C-alpha cells in the first residue's frame, strides 16, 4: 500500500530559525515525491519536486530512499512561510497526500 | 495559459437540486482529477481521467458523476447531495503517465454548501 506520513500537524518556529517539516513515505515502486503549499485563501500550489532537486523560496528537500523520507527544510524561516504544507506521492497518476503540517512562523 | 480554472467559485444547493461543477485547463495536460477537501484536511481523491477516460473512481457515491467532454474540460455533476458533501471541490491536471515532470496543477476550487 502507498502511504504518506507527516507526523506533525502543527509546527511553530520563530522568524530566522531553521525549520524542518517531516515526510515519510511507503511505496513499493520508484517514488515520485512533491511538496505542495497552501497559503491562506490561495490555491494549492507546487513548492518542490524531488526529481529536479531545486531550491524554491529557500526550501529544499532531499529524497532519502534508505529512510524513505522527503523532509522539507529551510535554514531561516520567514513570516510569509506560514502556511499548510502537504507532502505528496505520485504512484502512477494516483496522488497520495499526507495529512499536512500547518507551519506558523512567529515574528 | 498555465492555470486551471474552476466555476463557480461558490455554490449553494438543496438536497434535491442538480448542479454541475466545471474545470478547464489549456496546458495540454492529459490527466485530470477531482478532489474533495474538508477544512484543515488534505485533498481526498475522487476521480482520475487519463486521456479522457475514467481511470480511477475512489468508491465515490453515485450522486457524484464525472464527465470529461474533451481533453481540456472536466465536469462534476451533482445530484441529491447530502449536507456532509459540503466541502471545497478541487480540480487538478497533470501531464499524465510517462511525463518527466508529472506534478499536479490545482484550480482554486468550488466551495460547495449543501443545505
Amino acid at each position: 500500500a502507498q502511504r504518506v506520513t507527516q507526523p506533525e500537524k502543527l509546527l511553530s518556529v520563530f522568524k530566522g530559525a531553521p525549520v524542518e517539516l517531516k515526510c515519510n513515505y511507503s511505496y513499493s515502486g520508484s517514488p515520485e515525491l512533491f511538496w505542495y503549499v497552501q497559503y491562506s485563501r490561495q490555491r494549492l500550489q507546487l513548492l518542490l519536486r524531488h526529481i529536479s532537486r531545486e531550491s524554491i523560496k529557500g526550501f529544499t528537500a532531499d529524497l532519502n530512499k534508505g529512510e524513505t523520507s522527503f523532509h522539507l527544510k529551510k535554514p531561516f524561516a520567514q513570516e510569509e512561510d506560514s502556511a499548510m504544507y502537504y507532502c505528496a506521492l505520485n504512484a502512477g497518476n494516483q496522488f497520495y497526500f499526507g495529512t499536512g503540517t500547518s507551519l506558523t512562523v512567529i515574528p | 495559459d498555465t492555470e486551471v480554472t474552476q466555476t463557480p467559485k461558490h455554490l449553494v444547493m438543496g438536497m434535491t437540486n442538480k448542479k454541475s461543477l466545471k474545470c478547464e485547463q489549456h496546458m495540454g495536460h492529459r490527466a485530470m482529477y477531482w478532489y474533495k477537501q474538508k477544512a484543515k484536511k488534505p485533498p481526498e481523491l475522487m476521480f482520475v481521467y487519463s486521456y479522457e477516460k475514467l481511470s480511477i473512481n475512489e468508491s465515490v457515491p453515485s450522486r457524484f458523476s464525472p464527465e470529461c467532454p474533451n481533453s481540456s474540460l472536466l465536469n462534476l455533476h451533482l445530484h441529491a447531495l447530502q449536507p456532509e458533501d459540503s466541502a471545497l471541490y478541487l480540480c487538478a491536471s497533470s501531464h499524465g503517465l510517462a511525463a518527466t515532470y508529472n506534478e499536479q496543477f490545482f484550480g482554486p476550487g468550488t466551495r460547495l454548501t449543501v443545505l
Side-chain angles (χ1 to χ4, degrees):
Chain A
Q2 287 73 235
R3 188 185 302 171
V4 178
T5 306
Q6 292 180 251
E8 303 133 332
K9 261 188 137 173
L10 303 168
L11 185 62
S12 295
V13 299
F14 285 101
K15 179 182 171 182
V19 61
E20 182 180 46
L21 289 80
K22 291 185 169 37
C23 172
N24 287 90
Y25 67 91
S26 171
Y27 182 50
S28 53
S30 187
E32 190 176 3
L33 287 152
F34 306 89
W35 276 99
Y36 283 84
V37 60
Q38 195 166 30
Y39 300 103
S40 179
R41 301 186 199 285
Q42 292 188 29
R43 69 178 70 193
L44 198 59
Q45 55 188 283
L46 178 71
L47 181 62
L48 284 177
R49 55 174 89 88
H50 92 270
I51 198 167
S52 51
R53 302 177 68 85
E54 58 209 333
S55 173
I56 303 290
K57 299 184 181 183
F59 284 98
T60 58
D62 289 318
L63 177 61
N64 185 324
K65 290 187 179 180
E67 295 182 0
T68 60
S69 69
F70 187 56
H71 303 327
L72 183 68
K73 298 177 186 178
K74 184 169 182 176
F76 308 104
Q78 302 299 312
E79 288 177 68
E80 55 266 29
D81 296 329
S82 295
M84 180 69 88
Y85 291 80
Y86 293 102
C87 184
L89 167 71
N90 179 15
N93 261 2
Q94 197 158 349
F95 279 71
Y96 297 89
F97 283 86
T99 48
T101 297
S102 178
L103 174 66
T104 301
V105 179
I106 305 163
Chain B
D1 188 351
T2 57
E3 273 204 348
V4 176
T5 58
Q6 289 186 247
T7 55
K9 278 189 175 176
H10 302 275
L11 179 61
V12 179
M13 60 187 289
M15 289 191 283
T16 58
N17 291 158
K18 280 187 183 181
K19 296 285 184 184
S20 296
L21 309 185
K22 296 186 185 307
C23 173
E24 195 165 357
Q25 58 87 14
H26 294 287
M27 294 179 277
H29 290 170
R30 303 314 300 268
M32 295 185 77
Y33 310 76
W34 279 116
Y35 286 88
K36 175 182 176 180
Q37 187 178 27
K38 292 277 202 180
K40 299 193 189 299
K41 298 286 187 185
E44 295 174 40
L45 183 66
M46 299 175 73
F47 302 104
V48 180
Y49 272 84
S50 182
Y51 291 84
E52 297 150 57
K53 287 187 169 34
L54 183 65
S55 61
I56 295 171
N57 176 341
E58 289 284 346
S59 304
V60 180
S62 59
R63 57 185 184 268
F64 295 92
S65 174
E67 180 198 17
C68 189
N70 60 55
S71 59
S72 300
L73 292 174
L74 186 66
N75 298 323
L76 185 63
H77 302 298
L78 315 171
H79 174 55
L81 294 195
Q82 304 295 311
E84 59 264 29
D85 296 323
S86 299
L88 182 69
Y89 287 83
L90 297 171
C91 174
S93 69
S94 68
H95 286 289
L97 286 171
T100 301
Y101 295 137
N102 203 21
E103 68 268 20
Q104 292 185 319
F105 292 77
F106 282 85
T110 293
R111 175 77 57 193
L112 175 67
T113 303
V114 182
L115 301 176

